[in-house]
Structure formats: structure tokens, C-alpha cells
Amino acid sequence: MSVEKRVIKKYPNRRLYDTATSSYITLGDVKQLVLENVDIQVVDAKSQDDITRSVLLQIILEEENGGMPMFSYEVLTQFIRFYGQAMQGMMGPFLEKNLQLFGQMQQKLQEQTRAMYGDKAVFNTTMWGEFMKLQGPAIQNVMSSYMEQSTGMFLEMQNRMQEQTKQLFSGFTFPGYVPPGKDDAGKS
């Protein structure tokens, strides 16, 4: 059973209209809906095109321009470099899976905190920030280990794909192609 998405219309004057509440909302309100795990769809009121991704990217841009950006220069330039590359189609699912795993890790940390301190413990952003300062190196080590494993799996998958591609195309001959190890006359 699919959950119906909350439709938000974006008008030419750049105003956003929430069809569920029959009222105009701000980009901050859209962000809040996302934080509350509300499935949304933003459509252009005139063309009916789905513009959800561009609105979500706009929210990310505003967050990045705020106090503490999440993406470094290096990460952003790597994103740009992946566009148009052979592995572009795999990058999205790879990042999505890693973000899911990161979210699960965060949820387990919160569950462990509740188990240790009970439901009445109030951990606001400041307290989590202090906790992360103290535990940062340990968490960084866990994340580094995880990223090494993730990178290893990605490279292994890439190598398997290359081998499968070689096997798939090994029976075909391509004009002008000289396999490695053969000279121009086709001799070994």
C-alpha cells in the first residue's frame, strides 16, 4: 500500500501552497515537514511538473549557507565530478544506502542513551554537541572503519562488474581494437 504524498504547489511568484492545510507556507515549513517524516511532493502550479528535488536542494543550499555546513569543498567537487561518469547511476543508491546505515547507527546511539538515562533525560542540541566533543574521536574511528569497509565493498563490486563486462564482450570482435599483449599484426 502506497502512502499518498502531501502536495505542495509552487506558484510563479515563488510562493508555496500546502494543499493539505489550504495555506501558504515557507521553505522553512517544508523543511519542518521533512523533519517530521511527512512524504511531500512539490509541483509547479502552472506546468504540474514535479519539482520536489529542486525544492529539497534549495533547502540543503540554505542549510549549507547557514552556520555549520555539512559538505566540504572536496565533497561538493567530487559530486560534480561524478556527473556524466560511468558510475553516476550507482552513486545515488550508494549514498542512499550509506545514509540509511548512518541513520540506523544514530538511532541505536539514541536508544542506548535512553536505556542508560531513561526517557526523562533531556538531550538537546547543546548537550549532544558536548557529548560529541567528548566522544568525537571514538565515533570518528568507528566512522573511519565503516567507510573503509564501505569503500572496500564498492571497489569489490566495481571489480566484479568489470570482470563480468569483460566476459560478456570477450566473444565480440571490434574493428580496430587490438587486445592487450598483441602487436599490430595480431601476433602474441
Side-chain angles (χ1 to χ4, degrees), residues 58-181:
Q58 187 177 355
I59 292 169
I60 290 170
L61 180 61
E62 285 191 6
E63 289 296 316
E64 285 294 302
N65 286 330
M68 292 181 51
M70 188 181 306
F71 301 113
S72 66
Y73 169 83
E74 289 78 16
V75 169
L76 293 171
T77 55
Q78 285 292 356
F79 280 149
I80 292 168
R81 289 179 187 127
F82 270 108
Y83 285 99
Q85 300 298 317
M87 300 298 280
Q88 176 181 341
M90 296 181 69
M91 188 63 173
F94 176 76
L95 290 172
E96 190 174 325
K97 185 65 175 171
N98 280 293
L99 286 173
Q100 287 173 350
L101 292 172
F102 186 80
Q104 290 170 359
M105 186 176 74
Q106 182 181 15
Q107 187 176 6
K108 285 183 181 182
L109 180 63
Q110 290 172 346
E111 289 169 2
Q112 289 173 348
T113 303
R114 277 194 289 278
M116 288 174 49
Y117 299 107
D119 289 333
K120 295 185 181 188
V122 178
F123 280 91
N124 60 26
T125 306
T126 304
M127 292 177 77
W128 273 114
E130 291 299 317
F131 175 77
M132 293 306 288
K133 282 181 191 174
L134 297 173
Q135 298 301 319
I139 292 172
Q140 191 65 36
N141 286 338
V142 169
M143 290 303 296
S144 293
S145 174
Y146 166 75
M147 290 308 293
E148 286 174 18
Q149 290 174 354
S150 180
T151 301
M153 289 184 343
F154 185 75
L155 291 174
E156 182 181 327
M157 178 182 63
Q158 186 177 13
N159 288 335
R160 273 195 242 147
M161 288 176 55
Q162 286 175 347
E163 287 302 317
Q164 289 173 351
T165 303
K166 284 179 189 176
Q167 289 174 358
L168 179 66
F169 290 111
S170 65
F172 296 102
T173 57
F174 298 100
Y177 174 72
V178 178

